[in-house]
Amino acid sequence: SVNPDLASERQTASFSVEKLTALLDGGTEQTRIRRAVVEAIESDPVFSRENQYFQTQNERYEAAVRKAVHLQKKMHEMGWTENGPEYKYIYRALSGDVAFLLHRVFMRSISVLGSDKQIAKWIPLATQHKLIGSYAQTELGHGTYLQGLETTAVFDTANQEFILNTPKISAMKWWPGDMGRSATHTVVFAQLYIHGKCYGIHPFIVQIRSLQDHSLCPGVIAGDIGPKMNFEHIDNGYLLLKNVRIPRENMLSKFCEVRPDGTYVRQGSQKINYFTMTTVRISLIADEVLTPLMKACTIAIRYSVVRRQSKLKPGEQEAKILDYQTQQEKVLPQLATAYAFHFTNDYLQELFNRGYREIQRKNFDMLPELHALSSGFKAVITQHCTAGVEICLRACGGHGYSLLSGLPSLYTKILASCIYEGENTILLLQTARFLIKCFMAASAGQPVPPSVTYLAAVKHGKCPAKNKLDFLSPDIYTEAYQHVAVRLTSSTAAKLQDLIQSGVKKHDAWNQCTVQLVQAAKAHCHYIAVKNFAETVEKLETKAGIQKIMKHLCDLFALHGIFSNTGAFLHDGYTSAAQMDMVTASYLDLLAVIRKDAVPLVDAFDFTDKSLNSALGSSDGQVYQRLYQWAQRSPTNQMSPAYEKYLKPLLHNTLSKL
Amino acid sequence: SVNPDLASERQTASFSVEKLTALLDGGTEQTRIRRAVVEAIESDPVFSRENQYFQTQNERYEAAVRKAVHLQKKMHEMGWTENGPEYKYIYRALSGDVAFLLHRVFMRSISVLGSDKQIAKWIPLATQHKLIGSYAQTELGHGTYLQGLETTAVFDTANQEFILNTPKISAMKWWPGDMGRSATHTVVFAQLYIHGKCYGIHPFIVQIRSLQDHSLCPGVIAGDIGPKMNFEHIDNGYLLLKNVRIPRENMLSKFCEVRPDGTYVRQGSQKINYFTMTTVRISLIADEVLTPLMKACTIAIRYSVVRRQSKLKPGEQEAKILDYQTQQEKVLPQLATAYAFHFTNDYLQELFNRGYREIQRKNFDMLPELHALSSGFKAVITQHCTAGVEICLRACGGHGYSLLSGLPSLYTKILASCIYEGENTILLLQTARFLIKCFMAASAGQPVPPSVTYLAAVKHGKCPAKNKLDFLSPDIYTEAYQHVAVRLTSSTAAKLQDLIQSGVKKHDAWNQCTVQLVQAAKAHCHYIAVKNFAETVEKLETKAGIQKIMKHLCDLFALHGIFSNTGAFLHDGYTSAAQMDMVTASYLDLLAVIRKDAVPLVDAFDFTDKSLNSALGSSDGQVYQRLYQWAQRSPTNQMSPAYEKYLKPLLHNTLSKL
């Protein structure tokens, strides 16, 4: 039976939840396929995550391997293929709790970086799981800056082999997933040396474990890097190589080849490869970043209508905590953020599909823009969504702190997304570099890519809003965001110029501007996200109340951004103090409006109870029963040896005789 | 041997590290005592935390119990007593990793709430550990709002007993520390009923486990609430009572007594009790909030001078990441925050000592102010320090994410401080209520407590700064903070009045202002923290460079607060856009100045390597060696059954025959 406090929230939805779900999925057919996949996965006990919060790192690893192996069988049974429509829902249905994800990266890197011959040899072996692959790039002392990698691969002409070495401890491979315990092979990135000359970083296929008994190969030292904040199910590993010899054919050689005599040959353009790395940043947004925030919102909002605390009106019963303005102000902007970035992701996917088509036609013009957008949005979306999950966790008070709420594991996992695939600050500076370049070009009247043409149109006007309702006009707020993005880019460009003109060296000047450059890059992405949300709402069908509620969320996303960052909008007087008060008033009004639809808005995300895996967020709202029943199953409720060993002697006072 | 990149940082300290340590400790004698305690604890292997990151919740609990029992012996050996000068350093030296903390709360509540007779009976039993106590207040469905607690205690005149019951699942006691597995007794807070009439919440001593065999007493269901984000060493518990009978004498009766015939008698003033609860919020700041931030700063800053990444200048070696402005902007403001709140804590301690003396003289005038300050600062300091630890964690990239960095456990533990002892938003609203009341009083010309007299002096001036150096003047920035605090309080008071005058009911009007009330309360505390830091610096001795570096940190703390919240200062034109640009310039300049002393500034916190328990933060900077050696000892580097069970069949292709 559904908790009546939760049930009542569903009776007053202003829109069709089912229609909104279909919109998020991209159509009713997609919803049907997704649900079928979820049903098949969740009804299979091998994929259960029920005991996850009680398991050790070792148990999590073993379960993930078991699931990965079982998944092969399941896909065969269900007739799912890697190119089928179901495939993209499998990982989501498993909540990513499965091993061998790097095996796919191993295969992709061979497909992208390998010659036709290499592809023909290795891909079938990998597909049939005759080996387990990993991808060894990051080193203990080297991350983002690839040129700094220290592992070496020296070509030995006499034996037609590469000799791989880890020259010092900071050169150990560190972090590669599936490498700590599972992988038999890996793609190692190393500095290539031929006849004593360094040719820079290249990829090599290296076998690290025996295919017979899984023992480490000669010269290989590998293991697990130990406990982490999350990802207990993944055996992130270390790898140390001592004179490990591999045949010449194992250097992936689509773009660069070493001939038998040691001649080094470059061939073709690496731009497609560069594009592939860029798309990885976009591809992780849906599953690794948006889904956790959507889950956190579902949990926090359902809990907030079930939990009652203190009295809002004297004499009445205790109030649902979602009726407090401060609670609304915590969780509802996160809900708006989840929707906003869902649509941003659609926009980016479309842009990258277009980019891919252009690149296949050998037109690489879009690359710099795509790189800037993928870098900036990877950083901005991971940052906002991570902060959002943490806010949801804290908004649930003590119960949010229990692993059984599901929120801690969502937080500790999404946090990693701010670091992997490019640390956020470094990515934002890449975007900023593009912005500065485009701003200079635009100022000089040169053409710039579509997403930055607005930089050319520096306006010195004022925000035209006259009352608080004007701030519910997308034109008004989108223009305000645009103004801020232009101002931050242009003022930082000016500071950079001034420093250089005053004699500061270019690299020093750049470093002295980086805090402000990061601000400019964030403002650029925020502007595009707001603009895209507003344009998406514009195009939605007006039926079934969907457009109306999405418009509210768009307004909330935009006004929350202004309210949280008023200085940027007030700075040059574009927005006046009186207008800022209007923003605040409209923003607070919106909270009360969206609060009414809060539960239907999270119901539309369509998470099953099993996928939420949360005592606080289940669809029936029976929070307290679930917490109690679940806690009773905790291993901490088994007998502890601590009583006989320590408590009994203490209580029976042997201690005082010490 | 010390990593030369770290060693070089220590050679250029602008001040005496040892003198700064003594300042932080409150004198060289305190430093000596603290170090002696740390030495005694850390040289004893029973107290080792070396394997902490590898242990399960059960292992952590057992270790904490073992340490608690061993501590009794240790104190006896060392001649340390609960009233001695060493006592306050023990908990810090153990990093809080010890059981039976609630036993002390149990004893304190009996001392404060019990009659002389009750104290005489129970305190010796507790002191000699003939029982293990806990404190059962929070319920599954009830936290902050004590009046909402549902546990009942019905007086049975015939048997001279109270009958305790948990009437429904939301009334279960939930969270009490030491109760899940250890405690034999607890103080239960329950609604008192006599002859069918409810007299509200009262405290009762209830035995929950046998003193003979530790089995649960009849009618008692208790256990552990399961896994949490941290505090694995504590057995936070649940408790369900079914007609549990306790003698009449077990109701703690210093303030309220039930006579044998059921007559209910109130006696004395509970104000001292109220004061005690208030001081708990202050007492946790040093150990639970400041120490974790100081540790996080130590780890992140030492790592930031050892880690090198990318090139700052073309042709040079890779740069220390602390030389990047963006990295400085992450970690150095956290360092300034740690120092700022250290001095705030000194200020609060002094204020509360004064308050205590007044209260003993039956003068309760300071109570409302002390309550407002303890509530507001508990919220503001936990909030800032938690955010600071998270920033430090993220500033260490991938390695910060490893438990071996020490940062994840600092974060997951300090996060709880935002929730326990009063959820932060609720506390800030308590402070805001005080501010609004005082603002109204001050406006009407009535006297108000010292910390809020500034509210009477609403000035409409402008910030007088003429260039960026003016913003290094404490008068300039302290006044700016004051202006913002007054503006936010007065404008919210005005909004509240307007709403009420326009016919909105008082409680609704209050709710509609809460987001802004929270802002006002934060601004008030931030102002006091800045003002206190500036005044503290003023009074420091000018020798040994201490005052100079503290002045830099004070400036950084103040300007970081403005830079991060420019809108509040720009809003009514008190600070102009041009002045805000000066703030930014001075702020960024300061980063480069403080960067030079960053390592000495964290060295002054004087953490031993054992207390940091971090591969990244050790005093010799041998980061990579430590990570590698430590990881090798992880239980995940033992043989996993996953190979025989899953990997072998997969690789040997039994799968493809499925």
Side-chain angles (χ1 to χ4, degrees):
Chain A
S1 72
V2 177
N3 182 317
D5 280 340
L6 182 56
S8 68
E9 299 284 334
R10 291 178 170 137
Q11 283 155 11
T12 53
S14 77
F15 62 91
S16 157
V17 170
E18 188 63 18
K19 288 223 164 115
L20 182 51
T21 299
L23 174 70
L24 290 169
D25 280 326
T28 49
E29 176 61 8
Q30 292 297 313
T31 301
R32 191 192 60 74
I33 297 170
R34 178 176 56 73
R35 285 179 179 162
V37 171
V38 168
E39 166 61 23
I41 298 278
E42 293 189 352
S43 62
D44 188 329
V46 174
F47 296 121
S48 169
R49 293 189 301 131
E50 211 184 349
N51 289 317
Q52 176 180 318
Y53 305 128
F54 299 144
Q55 288 174 328
T56 65
Q57 194 179 353
N58 272 332
E59 289 164 344
R60 290 290 302 280
Y61 164 69
E62 191 180 323
V65 170
R66 185 178 69 236
K67 289 179 191 182
V69 172
H70 188 67
L71 181 59
Q72 301 302 318
K73 191 176 155 191
K74 192 82 187 176
M75 286 181 65
H76 187 258
E77 269 175 26
M78 300 297 296
W80 299 337
T81 66
E82 302 214 354
N83 303 314
E86 296 87 0
Y87 194 71
K88 68 172 174 170
Y89 299 117
I90 298 173
Y91 181 79
R92 174 177 157 152
L94 293 166
S95 293
D97 198 22
V98 62
F100 306 158
L101 298 175
L102 269 288
H103 187 66
R104 288 178 55 77
V105 178
F106 173 82
M107 288 171 71
R108 193 183 60 213
S109 52
I110 292 172
S111 305
V112 174
L113 303 172
S115 65
D116 292 344
K117 202 172 156 190
Q118 288 169 326
I119 293 171
K121 174 181 175 184
W122 293 100
I123 296 298
L125 290 172
T127 306
Q128 296 161 48
H129 285 96
K130 296 204 171 174
L131 56 81
I132 299 167
S134 178
Y135 180 88
Q137 181 178 298
T138 303
E139 294 176 358
L140 195 38
H142 306 277
T144 304
Y145 184 68
L146 290 191
Q147 295 167 54
L149 294 177
E150 295 178 292
T151 302
T152 57
V154 176
F155 185 57
D156 171 8
T157 323
N159 295 294
Q160 292 291 298
E161 288 174 333
F162 295 102
I163 309 165
L164 280 90
N165 269 295
T166 303
K168 48 200 271 209
I169 194 159
S170 56
M172 285 182 78
K173 295 297 175 185
W174 197 268
W175 279 113
D178 297 328
M179 196 177 75
R181 315 175 82 163
S182 298
T184 61
H185 289 68
T186 187
V187 173
V188 171
F189 284 79
Q191 302 283 359
L192 168 66
Y193 284 87
I194 309 172
H195 302 317
K197 185 183 163 192
C198 182
Y199 289 82
I201 291 299
H202 290 74
F204 302 86
I205 298 178
V206 181
Q207 181 171 354
I208 58 172
R209 287 187 177 90
S210 155
L211 289 170
Q212 285 313 305
D213 64 4
H214 218 238
S215 61
L216 290 171
C217 294
V220 172
I221 296 174
D224 186 282
I225 64 166
K228 298 147 295 186
M229 218 168 165
N230 197 310
F231 290 90
E232 297 100 327
H233 63 295
I234 301 292
D235 53 322
N236 296 93
Y238 59 79
L239 174 68
L240 207 144
L241 302 169
K242 287 188 188 168
N243 293 317
V244 173
R245 289 179 167 267
I246 56 168
R248 188 180 63 92
E249 292 73 21
N250 278 23
M251 182 175 113
L252 290 173
S253 56
K254 181 164 187 174
F255 301 110
C256 314
E257 194 187 353
V258 178
R259 299 253 167 90
D261 64 350
T263 312
Y264 179 83
V265 187
R266 277 193 190 281
Q267 53 212 5
S269 162
Q270 293 211 36
K271 283 184 176 169
I272 281 234
N273 176 31
Y274 182 73
F275 177 73
T276 306
M277 290 193 294
T278 296
T279 54
V280 169
R281 296 199 179 114
I282 299 302
S283 68
L284 63 88
I285 291 174
D287 285 339
E288 305 298 344
V289 191
L290 293 178
T291 298
L293 178 60
M294 288 171 174
K295 285 184 178 177
C297 287
T298 305
I299 296 167
I301 287 173
R302 285 182 181 163
Y303 177 66
S304 296
V305 299
V306 166
R307 177 73 171 190
R308 287 176 174 273
Q309 188 168 285
S310 302
K311 296 187 182 182
L312 202 47
K313 302 185 187 181
E316 289 195 352
Q317 72 173 136
E318 290 187 63
K320 292 176 173 182
I321 59 175
L322 194 59
D323 287 326
Y324 292 96
Q325 190 189 50
T326 46
Q327 185 75 358
Q328 292 167 11
E329 213 267 321
K330 288 176 191 171
V331 297
L332 301 183
Q334 311 322 318
L335 184 60
T337 298
Y339 276 94
F341 288 141
H342 170 85
F343 294 119
T344 303
N345 187 46
D346 284 351
Y347 158 79
L348 292 170
Q349 294 291 351
E350 207 183 297
L351 203 68
F352 272 75
N353 289 341
R354 188 140 45 87
Y356 186 65
R357 286 192 301 271
E358 290 299 317
I359 284 165
Q360 284 185 311
R361 291 165 47 201
K362 307 279 177 209
N363 172 9
F364 300 103
D365 293 352
M366 282 179 76
L367 264 182
E369 185 184 29
L370 292 176
H371 174 62
L373 283 169
S374 72
S375 301
F377 271 114
K378 185 275 185 181
V380 165
I381 296 178
T382 56
Q383 171 72 39
H384 279 257
C385 293
T386 300
V389 172
E390 197 206 24
I391 290 167
C392 288
L393 187 155
R394 289 159 81 153
C396 294
H399 293 322
Y401 193 77
S402 165
L403 293 200
L404 305 180
S405 74
L407 292 164
S409 61
L410 289 172
Y411 174 73
T412 52
K413 196 170 181 198
I414 195 175
L415 177 65
S417 72
C418 296
I419 301 164
Y420 62 58
E421 294 298 336
E423 194 275 331
N424 281 355
T425 303
I426 291 165
L427 292 182
L428 287 165
L429 288 173
Q430 304 262 323
T431 306
R433 201 175 279 279
F434 171 79
L435 287 178
I436 295 292
K437 209 172 146 187
C438 292
F439 176 77
M440 306 300 263
S443 305
Q446 292 159 15
V448 293
S451 64
V452 285
T453 46
Y454 77 96
L455 289 175
V458 189
K459 289 172 218 155
H460 294 283
K462 304 257 176 199
C463 172
K466 303 244 178 309
N467 58 57
K468 69 175 181 177
L469 294 180
D470 285 344
F471 278 103
L472 304 180
S473 155
D475 287 347
I476 297 277
Y477 56 66
T478 305
E479 202 144 317
Y481 273 93
Q482 187 189 89
H483 181 86
V484 169
V486 173
R487 180 177 65 74
L488 290 172
T489 303
S490 62
S491 67
T492 314
K495 178 179 169 183
L496 198 57
Q497 289 287 83
D498 287 353
L499 284 168
I500 292 167
Q501 274 164 22
S502 73
V504 178
K505 284 190 184 145
K506 224 172 169 180
H507 52 263
D508 283 332
W510 179 262
N511 191 26
Q512 288 172 37
C513 292
T514 46
V515 166
Q516 288 149 305
L517 286 164
V518 165
Q519 289 183 329
K522 285 181 182 173
H524 169 68
C525 293
H526 212 145
Y527 158 60
I528 293 180
V530 167
K531 181 162 157 275
N532 177 67
F533 199 169
E535 288 171 357
T536 304
V537 169
E538 188 75 17
K539 282 180 262 171
L540 289 176
E541 59 169 335
T542 53
K543 284 176 294 179
I546 303 282
Q547 193 188 41
K548 197 174 163 204
I549 188 70
M550 288 299 109
K551 168 70 168 57
H552 288 320
L553 285 175
C554 179
D555 295 346
L556 186 69
F557 177 70
L559 298 191
H560 173 70
I562 301 176
F563 179 77
S564 312
N565 197 15
T566 56
F569 296 83
L570 286 165
H571 188 278
D572 61 352
Y574 180 83
T575 314
S576 68
Q579 286 172 325
M580 199 51 80
D581 292 341
M582 296 170 199
V583 167
T584 303
S586 263
Y587 169 60
L588 296 176
D589 288 349
L590 269 173
L591 293 176
V593 171
I594 293 169
R595 183 258 168 270
K596 292 179 204 151
D597 276 319
V599 168
L601 280 167
V602 297
D603 283 350
F605 294 143
D606 202 27
F607 292 114
T608 61
D609 287 349
K610 282 186 179 171
S611 78
L612 289 174
N613 210 16
S614 161
L616 304 191
S618 64
S619 52
D620 65 3
Q622 299 296 356
V623 168
Y624 301 132
Q625 286 84 339
R626 242 163 251 268
L627 273 172
Y628 178 41
Q629 286 159 9
W630 209 343
Q632 285 173 287
R633 295 196 344 251
S634 169
T636 52
N637 278 311
Q638 292 152 10
M639 193 65 193
S640 164
Y643 174 66
E644 287 292 334
K645 276 158 84 178
Y646 308 113
L647 294 180
K648 195 170 166 185
L650 177 73
L651 290 165
H652 295 186
N653 257 337
T654 51
L655 183 80
S656 58
K657 288 153 208 147
L658 284 172
Chain B
S1 73
V2 177
N3 182 317
D5 281 340
L6 181 57
S8 67
E9 299 283 335
R10 290 177 171 136
Q11 283 156 10
T12 52
S14 77
F15 62 93
S16 157
V17 171
E18 187 64 18
K19 289 223 164 115
L20 182 52
T21 299
L23 174 70
L24 290 169
D25 280 326
T28 50
E29 175 61 8
Q30 292 296 313
T31 300
R32 194 193 57 76
I33 297 170
R34 178 177 57 73
R35 285 179 179 162
V37 170
V38 168
E39 165 61 22
I41 297 278
E42 293 189 351
S43 63
D44 188 329
V46 175
F47 295 122
S48 168
R49 293 190 301 130
E50 213 185 347
N51 288 316
Q52 176 180 319
Y53 305 127
F54 300 144
Q55 288 174 326
T56 64
Q57 193 178 356
N58 272 332
E59 289 163 346
R60 292 289 304 277
Y61 164 70
E62 192 180 321
V65 170
R66 184 177 71 234
K67 290 180 191 182
V69 172
H70 188 68
L71 181 60
Q72 301 302 316
K73 191 177 154 191
K74 192 83 189 174
M75 287 180 67
H76 187 259
E77 269 176 25
M78 300 296 295
W80 298 337
T81 66
E82 302 213 354
N83 303 313
E86 296 87 1
Y87 194 71
K88 68 171 173 171
Y89 298 117
I90 298 174
Y91 180 80
R92 174 177 155 153
L94 293 166
S95 293
D97 199 24
V98 61
F100 306 159
L101 298 175
L102 269 287
H103 187 67
R104 290 178 53 77
V105 178
F106 173 82
M107 288 172 72
R108 192 183 62 213
S109 53
I110 292 172
S111 304
V112 174
L113 304 171
S115 65
D116 292 344
K117 203 171 155 189
Q118 288 169 326
I119 293 171
K121 173 180 174 184
W122 292 100
I123 296 298
L125 290 172
T127 306
Q128 297 160 47
H129 284 98
K130 297 205 171 175
L131 55 80
I132 298 167
S134 179
Y135 180 85
Q137 180 176 299
T138 303
E139 294 176 356
L140 195 38
H142 306 278
T144 305
Y145 185 69
L146 291 191
Q147 296 167 54
L149 294 177
E150 295 177 291
T151 302
T152 58
V154 176
F155 186 57
D156 171 8
T157 323
N159 296 295
Q160 293 291 299
E161 290 174 334
F162 295 103
I163 308 165
L164 279 91
N165 268 295
T166 302
K168 49 199 268 210
I169 194 159
S170 56
M172 285 181 79
K173 294 297 174 185
W174 197 267
W175 280 113
D178 296 328
M179 196 176 75
R181 315 177 81 164
S182 298
T184 60
H185 289 68
T186 187
V187 172
V188 171
F189 285 79
Q191 301 284 359
L192 168 65
Y193 284 86
I194 310 171
H195 302 319
K197 187 182 162 190
C198 181
Y199 287 82
I201 291 298
H202 289 73
F204 302 85
I205 298 179
V206 180
Q207 181 172 354
I208 58 172
R209 287 189 178 89
S210 156
L211 289 170
Q212 285 313 306
D213 64 3
H214 218 237
S215 61
L216 291 170
C217 293
V220 172
I221 296 173
D224 187 281
I225 63 166
K228 297 147 295 187
M229 219 168 163
N230 197 312
F231 290 91
E232 297 101 328
H233 63 296
I234 300 292
D235 53 322
N236 295 92
Y238 59 79
L239 175 68
L240 206 145
L241 302 168
K242 286 187 186 166
N243 291 318
V244 173
R245 288 177 168 269
I246 57 168
R248 189 178 63 89
E249 292 74 21
N250 278 24
M251 182 174 113
L252 290 173
S253 56
K254 180 164 189 174
F255 302 110
C256 315
E257 195 188 350
V258 178
R259 299 255 166 88
D261 64 350
T263 312
Y264 179 83
V265 187
R266 276 192 189 281
Q267 55 212 3
S269 162
Q270 294 213 33
K271 281 185 179 168
I272 281 235
N273 176 31
Y274 182 72
F275 176 73
T276 306
M277 290 193 293
T278 295
T279 55
V280 169
R281 292 197 183 117
I282 300 302
S283 67
L284 63 89
I285 290 174
D287 286 338
E288 306 298 344
V289 191
L290 294 178
T291 299
L293 178 60
M294 289 171 174
K295 285 185 177 176
C297 286
T298 306
I299 296 167
I301 287 172
R302 286 182 180 162
Y303 177 67
S304 296
V305 299
V306 167
R307 176 73 172 190
R308 288 178 173 272
Q309 189 169 285
S310 302
K311 297 187 182 183
L312 201 48
K313 301 184 190 185
E316 290 197 351
Q317 72 173 137
E318 291 187 63
K320 291 177 173 182
I321 58 174
L322 194 59
D323 286 327
Y324 293 96
Q325 189 188 51
T326 46
Q327 185 75 356
Q328 293 167 11
E329 213 266 322
K330 287 175 191 172
V331 297
L332 300 183
Q334 311 323 316
L335 185 59
T337 298
Y339 277 94
F341 289 141
H342 171 85
F343 294 119
T344 303
N345 187 45
D346 284 351
Y347 158 81
L348 292 170
Q349 294 290 352
E350 206 183 298
L351 204 68
F352 272 76
N353 290 341
R354 188 140 46 86
Y356 186 65
R357 288 193 301 271
E358 290 298 316
I359 284 163
Q360 284 184 312
R361 291 163 50 200
K362 307 279 178 210
N363 172 8
F364 299 106
D365 292 352
M366 282 179 76
L367 265 182
E369 186 184 27
L370 293 176
H371 174 63
L373 282 169
S374 71
S375 301
F377 271 114
K378 184 274 184 183
V380 165
I381 296 178
T382 57
Q383 171 72 40
H384 279 258
C385 293
T386 300
V389 172
E390 198 206 23
I391 289 167
C392 289
L393 187 155
R394 287 158 81 154
C396 295
H399 293 320
Y401 193 77
S402 164
L403 293 200
L404 306 179
S405 74
L407 292 164
S409 60
L410 289 172
Y411 174 73
T412 53
K413 196 170 181 198
I414 195 175
L415 176 65
S417 72
C418 296
I419 301 165
Y420 62 57
E421 295 298 336
E423 193 277 329
N424 281 354
T425 303
I426 292 165
L427 291 181
L428 288 166
L429 288 172
Q430 305 261 323
T431 305
R433 201 175 280 279
F434 171 79
L435 287 178
I436 294 292
K437 210 172 145 187
C438 292
F439 176 77
M440 306 299 262
S443 305
Q446 292 159 15
V448 293
S451 64
V452 285
T453 47
Y454 76 94
L455 290 176
V458 189
K459 289 172 217 153
H460 295 284
K462 305 258 176 199
C463 173
K466 302 244 181 306
N467 58 56
K468 69 175 181 177
L469 295 180
D470 286 346
F471 278 103
L472 303 179
S473 156
D475 287 347
I476 297 278
Y477 55 67
T478 304
E479 201 143 319
Y481 273 93
Q482 186 188 88
H483 180 86
V484 168
V486 173
R487 181 177 64 75
L488 289 172
T489 303
S490 63
S491 68
T492 313
K495 177 179 170 183
L496 198 57
Q497 289 288 82
D498 287 352
L499 283 169
I500 292 168
Q501 273 164 22
S502 73
V504 179
K505 285 189 184 147
K506 224 171 167 178
H507 52 262
D508 283 331
W510 178 262
N511 191 27
Q512 287 172 37
C513 291
T514 46
V515 166
Q516 288 149 304
L517 286 163
V518 164
Q519 289 183 331
K522 285 180 181 173
H524 168 68
C525 294
H526 212 147
Y527 158 59
I528 293 179
V530 168
K531 181 163 159 273
N532 177 67
F533 199 170
E535 288 170 359
T536 303
V537 169
E538 188 75 17
K539 282 178 262 171
L540 289 176
E541 58 169 336
T542 52
K543 285 177 294 183
I546 303 282
Q547 192 187 42
K548 196 174 161 205
I549 188 69
M550 288 298 110
K551 168 70 168 58
H552 289 319
L553 284 175
C554 178
D555 294 346
L556 185 68
F557 177 69
L559 298 190
H560 172 70
I562 301 176
F563 179 77
S564 312
N565 196 15
T566 55
F569 295 83
L570 286 165
H571 189 277
D572 62 352
Y574 179 83
T575 314
S576 69
Q579 287 172 326
M580 199 51 79
D581 292 340
M582 297 171 199
V583 167
T584 303
S586 263
Y587 169 61
L588 296 176
D589 287 350
L590 270 173
L591 292 176
V593 171
I594 293 170
R595 183 258 169 272
K596 292 179 202 149
D597 276 320
V599 168
L601 281 167
V602 298
D603 283 350
F605 294 142
D606 201 28
F607 291 114
T608 62
D609 287 349
K610 282 187 180 171
S611 79
L612 288 175
N613 210 15
S614 161
L616 303 192
S618 63
S619 52
D620 65 3
Q622 299 296 359
V623 168
Y624 301 133
Q625 287 82 340
R626 243 162 250 269
L627 272 172
Y628 179 40
Q629 286 158 10
W630 210 341
Q632 286 174 287
R633 298 198 341 255
S634 169
T636 52
N637 278 311
Q638 292 152 10
M639 192 65 193
S640 164
Y643 174 67
E644 286 292 332
K645 276 157 85 177
Y646 308 113
L647 294 180
K648 195 172 166 184
L650 178 72
L651 289 166
H652 294 187
N653 256 339
T654 51
L655 184 82
S656 59
K657 288 154 206 145
L658 284 171

